[in-house]
Amino acid sequence: MGGRGEPPDGTPEGAPSGAEDEYRSVVFDESFVRAARLQEYSAQERMTDHTPAVRRRPSPHTGLSRQALALLLLIALAFATAIFMGVRTPYRSPLTERPAEALRTTVVPLAPRGEVPGAADPGELYAHSQAAGFEAGAEGIPWPAHRATAHFSDSQVVAALTYARDYIVASSLDPAVLTGGAVDAVRSLLDPGQLDQFDQSIEHPAADGRHAPTGWLVRFDPARVRLADPRIRMRGSLQTAETDADTLEVTADPTAVYALRPAVAAAGARASLFTVRRELRFRFDREDLRLHQVQLVASTVQAGPLSCSEDSTARFGPLLAGQHAKAGGPAGTDPYAPDGAPALCGTLAPSAQPRL
């Protein structure tokens, strides 16, 4: 009789016996052996190398783990760098910037004491005036000595000087601006916070100390005058100062001298000189420096020869060669008006006119 669990006639030939079934669970296949962490050395290796009977096989996952660790470390480093740069960046969000300050303007017409001198040749006028040593165009505004401040680098100071100079050139030398044409060259340089005030000044001029176009730029009445010489003479200076940790200021005092003729000039019409001195104060925050824009916060303008009774708010109506100032003073001002600007007028000194 067969043993327990065996067929009555015994185990068929070729079939595994019961004893073999009992050890089937502990028999290792080839893939298991290859994956084992411990591997037995051969007899030859044990005889020649005197090594232990077994050796530890390298784990197939070791390289992958190191790569994963390196990747995690790289991600952590990039994340830390992003946080650091976000905290230390010199450019703050526009939401944290202070609003642009409104421009305050003062325009003072200068009346001549006698007849306005003139000459057929504009060069002769310049040669016999105080503008004889002035440079033509932007060359009259040289670069000042500059250096870094406590909170602004030297390159930022240079940027502020450059943008202020660009504004002066656009607002006092651009032929389109001077002759009452497009003002885009000036407008494009302003901080967006001042654009509404600028647009209102151009579209609806007012002598209220805030909306005088001649406080923003030099502009002539094209129906009355035209340029007799496109080479405008200029002299001016620039200075920078740090007002606080977030603000740079540039002050400028450009003086521009224009040779003018009547818009419809008769034969033999003489040219005359017109002088505009401007004292400008610009403010820059870091956003302005990054975006190439300015905030013009104060403008004091003295210009002549003009009649004191002439309204110079929107544009200048210069007195030309042979003319005299009209009688009367500037228009009155209501001192009780909240935005009332004082009506001012000065006298153009004889030394300020060409001596022919």
Side-chain angles (χ1 to χ4, degrees), residues 187 195-206 211 213 219:
R187 190 181 189 276
L195 293 181
D196 286 344
Q197 183 187 7
F198 178 81
D199 292 341
Q200 186 173 353
S201 299
I202 299 299
E203 297 168 5
H204 306 287
H211 300 96
R219 202 176 202 190

PDB file of all heavy atoms in Angstrom, residues 187 195-206 211 213 219:
ATOM      1  N   ARG A 187       5.519 112.804 -24.135  1.00  0.00           N
ATOM      2  CA  ARG A 187       4.574 111.976 -23.389  1.00  0.00           C
ATOM      3  C   ARG A 187       5.116 110.584 -23.114  1.00  0.00           C
ATOM      4  O   ARG A 187       4.900 110.023 -22.036  1.00  0.00           O
ATOM      5  CB  ARG A 187       3.255 111.875 -24.170  1.00  0.00           C
ATOM      6  CG  ARG A 187       2.109 111.237 -23.407  1.00  0.00           C
ATOM      7  CD  ARG A 187       0.848 111.171 -24.272  1.00  0.00           C
ATOM      8  NE  ARG A 187      -0.297 110.763 -23.495  1.00  0.00           N
ATOM      9  CZ  ARG A 187      -0.612 109.499 -23.226  1.00  0.00           C
ATOM     10  NH1 ARG A 187       0.158 108.518 -23.691  1.00  0.00           N
ATOM     11  NH2 ARG A 187      -1.677 109.201 -22.510  1.00  0.00           N
ATOM     12  N   LEU A 195       0.352 110.812 -16.791  1.00  0.00           N
ATOM     13  CA  LEU A 195      -0.172 110.962 -18.150  1.00  0.00           C
ATOM     14  C   LEU A 195      -1.520 111.679 -18.184  1.00  0.00           C
ATOM     15  O   LEU A 195      -1.775 112.481 -19.090  1.00  0.00           O
ATOM     16  CB  LEU A 195      -0.279 109.588 -18.818  1.00  0.00           C
ATOM     17  CG  LEU A 195       1.046 108.881 -19.102  1.00  0.00           C
ATOM     18  CD1 LEU A 195       0.810 107.544 -19.784  1.00  0.00           C
ATOM     19  CD2 LEU A 195       1.955 109.765 -19.954  1.00  0.00           C
ATOM     20  N   ASP A 196      -2.394 111.404 -17.229  1.00  0.00           N
ATOM     21  CA  ASP A 196      -3.698 112.084 -17.217  1.00  0.00           C
ATOM     22  C   ASP A 196      -3.515 113.589 -17.058  1.00  0.00           C
ATOM     23  O   ASP A 196      -4.186 114.383 -17.732  1.00  0.00           O
ATOM     24  CB  ASP A 196      -4.569 111.531 -16.089  1.00  0.00           C
ATOM     25  CG  ASP A 196      -5.105 110.142 -16.393  1.00  0.00           C
ATOM     26  OD1 ASP A 196      -5.049 109.742 -17.574  1.00  0.00           O
ATOM     27  OD2 ASP A 196      -5.560 109.458 -15.462  1.00  0.00           O
ATOM     28  N   GLN A 197      -2.613 113.999 -16.150  1.00  0.00           N
ATOM     29  CA  GLN A 197      -2.375 115.428 -15.958  1.00  0.00           C
ATOM     30  C   GLN A 197      -1.766 116.051 -17.208  1.00  0.00           C
ATOM     31  O   GLN A 197      -2.147 117.152 -17.612  1.00  0.00           O
ATOM     32  CB  GLN A 197      -1.448 115.645 -14.761  1.00  0.00           C
ATOM     33  CG  GLN A 197      -1.215 117.112 -14.446  1.00  0.00           C
ATOM     34  CD  GLN A 197      -0.168 117.333 -13.358  1.00  0.00           C
ATOM     35  OE1 GLN A 197       0.482 116.382 -12.914  1.00  0.00           O
ATOM     36  NE2 GLN A 197       0.005 118.577 -12.936  1.00  0.00           N
ATOM     37  N   PHE A 198      -0.846 115.341 -17.832  1.00  0.00           N
ATOM     38  CA  PHE A 198      -0.224 115.859 -19.058  1.00  0.00           C
ATOM     39  C   PHE A 198      -1.266 116.010 -20.173  1.00  0.00           C
ATOM     40  O   PHE A 198      -1.327 117.051 -20.841  1.00  0.00           O
ATOM     41  CB  PHE A 198       0.893 114.922 -19.496  1.00  0.00           C
ATOM     42  CG  PHE A 198       1.572 115.326 -20.768  1.00  0.00           C
ATOM     43  CD1 PHE A 198       2.550 116.308 -20.770  1.00  0.00           C
ATOM     44  CD2 PHE A 198       1.214 114.737 -21.978  1.00  0.00           C
ATOM     45  CE1 PHE A 198       3.175 116.698 -21.965  1.00  0.00           C
ATOM     46  CE2 PHE A 198       1.834 115.117 -23.167  1.00  0.00           C
ATOM     47  CZ  PHE A 198       2.819 116.098 -23.155  1.00  0.00           C
ATOM     48  N   ASP A 199      -2.081 114.983 -20.379  1.00  0.00           N
ATOM     49  CA  ASP A 199      -3.090 115.031 -21.439  1.00  0.00           C
ATOM     50  C   ASP A 199      -4.089 116.168 -21.203  1.00  0.00           C
ATOM     51  O   ASP A 199      -4.486 116.874 -22.141  1.00  0.00           O
ATOM     52  CB  ASP A 199      -3.832 113.693 -21.525  1.00  0.00           C
ATOM     53  CG  ASP A 199      -2.931 112.568 -22.022  1.00  0.00           C
ATOM     54  OD1 ASP A 199      -1.880 112.867 -22.618  1.00  0.00           O
ATOM     55  OD2 ASP A 199      -3.278 111.392 -21.795  1.00  0.00           O
ATOM     56  N   GLN A 200      -4.495 116.334 -19.949  1.00  0.00           N
ATOM     57  CA  GLN A 200      -5.431 117.414 -19.650  1.00  0.00           C
ATOM     58  C   GLN A 200      -4.786 118.778 -19.887  1.00  0.00           C
ATOM     59  O   GLN A 200      -5.441 119.726 -20.348  1.00  0.00           O
ATOM     60  CB  GLN A 200      -5.924 117.309 -18.206  1.00  0.00           C
ATOM     61  CG  GLN A 200      -7.020 118.313 -17.859  1.00  0.00           C
ATOM     62  CD  GLN A 200      -7.605 118.088 -16.476  1.00  0.00           C
ATOM     63  OE1 GLN A 200      -7.291 117.102 -15.806  1.00  0.00           O
ATOM     64  NE2 GLN A 200      -8.436 119.009 -16.036  1.00  0.00           N
ATOM     65  N   SER A 201      -3.480 118.887 -19.603  1.00  0.00           N
ATOM     66  CA  SER A 201      -2.782 120.151 -19.831  1.00  0.00           C
ATOM     67  C   SER A 201      -2.753 120.494 -21.315  1.00  0.00           C
ATOM     68  O   SER A 201      -2.939 121.658 -21.693  1.00  0.00           O
ATOM     69  CB  SER A 201      -1.352 120.064 -19.286  1.00  0.00           C
ATOM     70  OG  SER A 201      -1.335 119.813 -17.897  1.00  0.00           O
ATOM     71  N   ILE A 202      -2.515 119.495 -22.163  1.00  0.00           N
ATOM     72  CA  ILE A 202      -2.438 119.742 -23.596  1.00  0.00           C
ATOM     73  C   ILE A 202      -3.821 120.026 -24.185  1.00  0.00           C
ATOM     74  O   ILE A 202      -3.991 120.927 -25.018  1.00  0.00           O
ATOM     75  CB  ILE A 202      -1.798 118.542 -24.321  1.00  0.00           C
ATOM     76  CG1 ILE A 202      -0.361 118.306 -23.815  1.00  0.00           C
ATOM     77  CG2 ILE A 202      -1.803 118.739 -25.823  1.00  0.00           C
ATOM     78  CD1 ILE A 202       0.581 119.459 -24.043  1.00  0.00           C
ATOM     79  N   GLU A 203      -4.823 119.278 -23.739  1.00  0.00           N
ATOM     80  CA  GLU A 203      -6.165 119.410 -24.310  1.00  0.00           C
ATOM     81  C   GLU A 203      -6.960 120.555 -23.708  1.00  0.00           C
ATOM     82  O   GLU A 203      -7.767 121.194 -24.398  1.00  0.00           O
ATOM     83  CB  GLU A 203      -6.919 118.092 -24.120  1.00  0.00           C
ATOM     84  CG  GLU A 203      -6.276 116.914 -24.867  1.00  0.00           C
ATOM     85  CD  GLU A 203      -6.856 115.576 -24.452  1.00  0.00           C
ATOM     86  OE1 GLU A 203      -7.836 115.576 -23.654  1.00  0.00           O
ATOM     87  OE2 GLU A 203      -6.348 114.535 -24.896  1.00  0.00           O
ATOM     88  N   HIS A 204      -6.741 120.840 -22.416  1.00  0.00           N
ATOM     89  CA  HIS A 204      -7.490 121.898 -21.728  1.00  0.00           C
ATOM     90  C   HIS A 204      -6.533 122.722 -20.869  1.00  0.00           C
ATOM     91  O   HIS A 204      -6.527 122.591 -19.631  1.00  0.00           O
ATOM     92  CB  HIS A 204      -8.609 121.299 -20.869  1.00  0.00           C
ATOM     93  CG  HIS A 204      -9.531 120.381 -21.615  1.00  0.00           C
ATOM     94  ND1 HIS A 204     -10.469 120.840 -22.514  1.00  0.00           N
ATOM     95  CD2 HIS A 204      -9.643 119.018 -21.613  1.00  0.00           C
ATOM     96  CE1 HIS A 204     -11.129 119.814 -23.025  1.00  0.00           C
ATOM     97  NE2 HIS A 204     -10.648 118.695 -22.501  1.00  0.00           N
ATOM     98  N   PRO A 205      -5.732 123.584 -21.490  1.00  0.00           N
ATOM     99  CA  PRO A 205      -4.752 124.381 -20.721  1.00  0.00           C
ATOM    100  C   PRO A 205      -5.445 125.270 -19.691  1.00  0.00           C
ATOM    101  O   PRO A 205      -6.550 125.783 -19.917  1.00  0.00           O
ATOM    102  CB  PRO A 205      -4.069 125.228 -21.801  1.00  0.00           C
ATOM    103  CG  PRO A 205      -4.332 124.505 -23.092  1.00  0.00           C
ATOM    104  CD  PRO A 205      -5.676 123.860 -22.928  1.00  0.00           C
ATOM    105  N   ALA A 206      -4.769 125.447 -18.558  1.00  0.00           N
ATOM    106  CA  ALA A 206      -5.307 126.301 -17.498  1.00  0.00           C
ATOM    107  C   ALA A 206      -4.146 126.902 -16.709  1.00  0.00           C
ATOM    108  O   ALA A 206      -3.148 126.229 -16.457  1.00  0.00           O
ATOM    109  CB  ALA A 206      -6.227 125.505 -16.572  1.00  0.00           C
ATOM    110  N   HIS A 211      -1.749 122.776 -14.977  1.00  0.00           N
ATOM    111  CA  HIS A 211      -2.137 122.370 -16.328  1.00  0.00           C
ATOM    112  C   HIS A 211      -1.695 123.378 -17.398  1.00  0.00           C
ATOM    113  O   HIS A 211      -2.431 123.663 -18.334  1.00  0.00           O
ATOM    114  CB  HIS A 211      -3.650 122.151 -16.401  1.00  0.00           C
ATOM    115  CG  HIS A 211      -4.141 121.088 -15.465  1.00  0.00           C
ATOM    116  ND1 HIS A 211      -4.654 121.376 -14.226  1.00  0.00           N
ATOM    117  CD2 HIS A 211      -4.174 119.736 -15.585  1.00  0.00           C
ATOM    118  CE1 HIS A 211      -4.992 120.247 -13.612  1.00  0.00           C
ATOM    119  NE2 HIS A 211      -4.717 119.247 -14.421  1.00  0.00           N
ATOM    120  N   PRO A 213       0.671 123.829 -20.442  1.00  0.00           N
ATOM    121  CA  PRO A 213       1.550 123.098 -21.357  1.00  0.00           C
ATOM    122  C   PRO A 213       2.967 123.641 -21.377  1.00  0.00           C
ATOM    123  O   PRO A 213       3.940 122.875 -21.511  1.00  0.00           O
ATOM    124  CB  PRO A 213       0.860 123.269 -22.710  1.00  0.00           C
ATOM    125  CG  PRO A 213      -0.584 123.447 -22.377  1.00  0.00           C
ATOM    126  CD  PRO A 213      -0.589 124.243 -21.101  1.00  0.00           C
ATOM    127  N   ARG A 219       6.722 125.513 -26.421  1.00  0.00           N
ATOM    128  CA  ARG A 219       5.797 125.438 -27.542  1.00  0.00           C
ATOM    129  C   ARG A 219       5.471 126.836 -28.027  1.00  0.00           C
ATOM    130  O   ARG A 219       5.090 127.703 -27.225  1.00  0.00           O
ATOM    131  CB  ARG A 219       4.521 124.713 -27.112  1.00  0.00           C
ATOM    132  CG  ARG A 219       3.718 124.122 -28.247  1.00  0.00           C
ATOM    133  CD  ARG A 219       2.544 123.350 -27.706  1.00  0.00           C
ATOM    134  NE  ARG A 219       2.067 122.367 -28.659  1.00  0.00           N
ATOM    135  CZ  ARG A 219       0.944 121.686 -28.525  1.00  0.00           C
ATOM    136  NH1 ARG A 219       0.171 121.893 -27.483  1.00  0.00           N
ATOM    137  NH2 ARG A 219       0.584 120.798 -29.418  1.00  0.00           N
TER     138      ARG A 219
END
